[in-house]
PDB file of all heavy atoms in Angstrom:
ATOM      1  N   LYS N 183       2.668  36.039  -3.151  1.00 95.00           N
ATOM      2  CA  LYS N 183       1.655  35.656  -4.118  1.00 95.00           C
ATOM      3  C   LYS N 183       2.229  34.564  -5.083  1.00 95.00           C
ATOM      4  O   LYS N 183       1.481  33.833  -5.701  1.00 95.00           O
ATOM      5  CB  LYS N 183       1.145  36.806  -4.944  1.00 95.00           C
ATOM      6  CG  LYS N 183       0.355  37.784  -4.119  1.00 95.00           C
ATOM      7  CD  LYS N 183      -0.127  38.983  -4.933  1.00 95.00           C
ATOM      8  CE  LYS N 183      -0.954  39.948  -4.134  1.00 95.00           C
ATOM      9  NZ  LYS N 183      -1.444  41.109  -4.933  1.00 95.00           N
ATOM     10  N   SER N 184       3.566  34.477  -5.176  1.00 96.00           N
ATOM     11  CA  SER N 184       4.167  33.517  -6.039  1.00 96.00           C
ATOM     12  C   SER N 184       4.559  32.223  -5.323  1.00 96.00           C
ATOM     13  O   SER N 184       5.061  31.256  -5.951  1.00 96.00           O
ATOM     14  CB  SER N 184       5.472  34.108  -6.637  1.00 96.00           C
ATOM     15  OG  SER N 184       5.196  35.337  -7.290  1.00 96.00           O
ATOM     16  N   VAL N 185       4.302  32.248  -4.009  1.00 97.00           N
ATOM     17  CA  VAL N 185       4.711  31.072  -3.148  1.00 97.00           C
ATOM     18  C   VAL N 185       3.523  30.227  -2.833  1.00 97.00           C
ATOM     19  O   VAL N 185       2.475  30.664  -2.371  1.00 97.00           O
ATOM     20  CB  VAL N 185       5.406  31.608  -1.864  1.00 97.00           C
ATOM     21  CG1 VAL N 185       5.722  30.409  -0.944  1.00 97.00           C
ATOM     22  CG2 VAL N 185       6.666  32.353  -2.220  1.00 97.00           C
ATOM     23  N   TYR N 186       3.711  28.881  -3.017  1.00 95.00           N
ATOM     24  CA  TYR N 186       2.629  27.938  -2.704  1.00 95.00           C
ATOM     25  C   TYR N 186       2.764  27.465  -1.268  1.00 95.00           C
ATOM     26  O   TYR N 186       1.714  27.310  -0.561  1.00 95.00           O
ATOM     27  CB  TYR N 186       2.775  26.750  -3.666  1.00 95.00           C
ATOM     28  CG  TYR N 186       1.605  25.769  -3.628  1.00 95.00           C
ATOM     29  CD1 TYR N 186       0.333  26.155  -4.040  1.00 95.00           C
ATOM     30  CD2 TYR N 186       1.814  24.498  -3.114  1.00 95.00           C
ATOM     31  CE1 TYR N 186      -0.701  25.289  -3.974  1.00 95.00           C
ATOM     32  CE2 TYR N 186       0.694  23.620  -3.068  1.00 95.00           C
ATOM     33  CZ  TYR N 186      -0.524  23.963  -3.510  1.00 95.00           C
ATOM     34  OH  TYR N 186      -1.575  23.128  -3.417  1.00 95.00           O
ATOM     35  N   ALA N 187       3.968  27.185  -0.791  1.00 95.00           N
ATOM     36  CA  ALA N 187       4.147  26.746   0.578  1.00 95.00           C
ATOM     37  C   ALA N 187       5.640  26.871   0.922  1.00 95.00           C
ATOM     38  O   ALA N 187       6.520  26.896   0.074  1.00 95.00           O
ATOM     39  CB  ALA N 187       3.715  25.284   0.688  1.00 95.00           C
ATOM     40  N   VAL N 188       5.886  26.969   2.260  1.00 95.00           N
ATOM     41  CA  VAL N 188       7.198  26.972   2.804  1.00 95.00           C
ATOM     42  C   VAL N 188       7.316  25.815   3.795  1.00 95.00           C
ATOM     43  O   VAL N 188       6.430  25.638   4.668  1.00 95.00           O
ATOM     44  CB  VAL N 188       7.551  28.310   3.524  1.00 95.00           C
ATOM     45  CG1 VAL N 188       8.940  28.191   4.166  1.00 95.00           C
ATOM     46  CG2 VAL N 188       7.501  29.417   2.563  1.00 95.00           C
ATOM     47  N   PHE N 189       8.296  24.929   3.640  1.00 92.00           N
ATOM     48  CA  PHE N 189       8.431  23.865   4.621  1.00 92.00           C
ATOM     49  C   PHE N 189       9.881  23.475   4.792  1.00 92.00           C
ATOM     50  O   PHE N 189      10.744  23.867   4.063  1.00 92.00           O
ATOM     51  CB  PHE N 189       7.566  22.617   4.225  1.00 92.00           C
ATOM     52  CG  PHE N 189       8.100  21.845   3.064  1.00 92.00           C
ATOM     53  CD1 PHE N 189       8.844  20.712   3.275  1.00 92.00           C
ATOM     54  CD2 PHE N 189       7.854  22.218   1.797  1.00 92.00           C
ATOM     55  CE1 PHE N 189       9.346  19.956   2.229  1.00 92.00           C
ATOM     56  CE2 PHE N 189       8.306  21.520   0.705  1.00 92.00           C
ATOM     57  CZ  PHE N 189       9.036  20.342   0.952  1.00 92.00           C
ATOM     58  N   GLY N 190      10.121  22.633   5.818  1.00 92.00           N
ATOM     59  CA  GLY N 190      11.539  22.244   6.139  1.00 92.00           C
ATOM     60  C   GLY N 190      11.937  22.841   7.471  1.00 92.00           C
ATOM     61  O   GLY N 190      13.024  22.514   7.976  1.00 92.00           O
ATOM     62  N   LEU N 191      11.090  23.720   8.001  1.00 93.00           N
ATOM     63  CA  LEU N 191      11.349  24.320   9.322  1.00 93.00           C
ATOM     64  C   LEU N 191      11.232  23.245  10.419  1.00 93.00           C
ATOM     65  O   LEU N 191      11.896  23.354  11.466  1.00 93.00           O
ATOM     66  CB  LEU N 191      10.346  25.454   9.606  1.00 93.00           C
ATOM     67  CG  LEU N 191      10.460  26.630   8.627  1.00 93.00           C
ATOM     68  CD1 LEU N 191       9.306  27.599   8.841  1.00 93.00           C
ATOM     69  CD2 LEU N 191      11.795  27.330   8.812  1.00 93.00           C
ATOM     70  N   SER N 192      10.471  22.235  10.153  1.00 89.00           N
ATOM     71  CA  SER N 192      10.436  21.069  11.041  1.00 89.00           C
ATOM     72  C   SER N 192      11.342  19.996  10.529  1.00 89.00           C
ATOM     73  O   SER N 192      11.351  19.700   9.319  1.00 89.00           O
ATOM     74  CB  SER N 192       9.016  20.519  11.147  1.00 89.00           C
ATOM     75  OG  SER N 192       8.973  19.295  11.836  1.00 89.00           O
ATOM     76  N   THR N 193      12.140  19.416  11.420  1.00 87.00           N
ATOM     77  CA  THR N 193      13.035  18.271  11.025  1.00 87.00           C
ATOM     78  C   THR N 193      12.506  16.931  11.477  1.00 87.00           C
ATOM     79  O   THR N 193      13.221  15.931  11.463  1.00 87.00           O
ATOM     80  CB  THR N 193      14.436  18.526  11.612  1.00 87.00           C
ATOM     81  OG1 THR N 193      14.349  18.571  13.045  1.00 87.00           O
ATOM     82  CG2 THR N 193      15.010  19.801  11.063  1.00 87.00           C
ATOM     83  N   TYR N 194      11.260  16.903  11.953  1.00 82.00           N
ATOM     84  CA  TYR N 194      10.663  15.595  12.339  1.00 82.00           C
ATOM     85  C   TYR N 194      10.707  14.606  11.192  1.00 82.00           C
ATOM     86  O   TYR N 194      10.388  14.959  10.050  1.00 82.00           O
ATOM     87  CB  TYR N 194       9.206  15.784  12.792  1.00 82.00           C
ATOM     88  CG  TYR N 194       8.510  14.523  13.118  1.00 82.00           C
ATOM     89  CD1 TYR N 194       8.716  13.808  14.260  1.00 82.00           C
ATOM     90  CD2 TYR N 194       7.580  13.965  12.172  1.00 82.00           C
ATOM     91  CE1 TYR N 194       8.048  12.614  14.518  1.00 82.00           C
ATOM     92  CE2 TYR N 194       6.920  12.760  12.413  1.00 82.00           C
ATOM     93  CZ  TYR N 194       7.181  12.132  13.617  1.00 82.00           C
ATOM     94  OH  TYR N 194       6.514  10.927  13.853  1.00 82.00           O
ATOM     95  N   SER N 195      11.119  13.401  11.490  1.00 76.00           N
ATOM     96  CA  SER N 195      11.249  12.367  10.438  1.00 76.00           C
ATOM     97  C   SER N 195      10.345  11.186  10.742  1.00 76.00           C
ATOM     98  O   SER N 195      10.523  10.503  11.681  1.00 76.00           O
ATOM     99  CB  SER N 195      12.718  11.884  10.298  1.00 76.00           C
ATOM    100  OG  SER N 195      12.782  10.850   9.428  1.00 76.00           O
ATOM    101  N   PRO N 196       9.384  10.934   9.830  1.00 67.00           N
ATOM    102  CA  PRO N 196       8.550   9.726   9.947  1.00 67.00           C
ATOM    103  C   PRO N 196       9.245   8.481   9.317  1.00 67.00           C
ATOM    104  O   PRO N 196       8.790   7.392   9.452  1.00 67.00           O
ATOM    105  CB  PRO N 196       7.319  10.071   9.124  1.00 67.00           C
ATOM    106  CG  PRO N 196       7.825  10.948   8.077  1.00 67.00           C
ATOM    107  CD  PRO N 196       8.937  11.789   8.680  1.00 67.00           C
TER     108      PRO N 196
END
Side-chain angles (χ1 to χ4, degrees):
K183 293 181 180 179
S184 305
V185 175
Y186 189 67
V188 176
F189 73 98
L191 297 170
S192 169
T193 60
Y194 173 77
S195 174

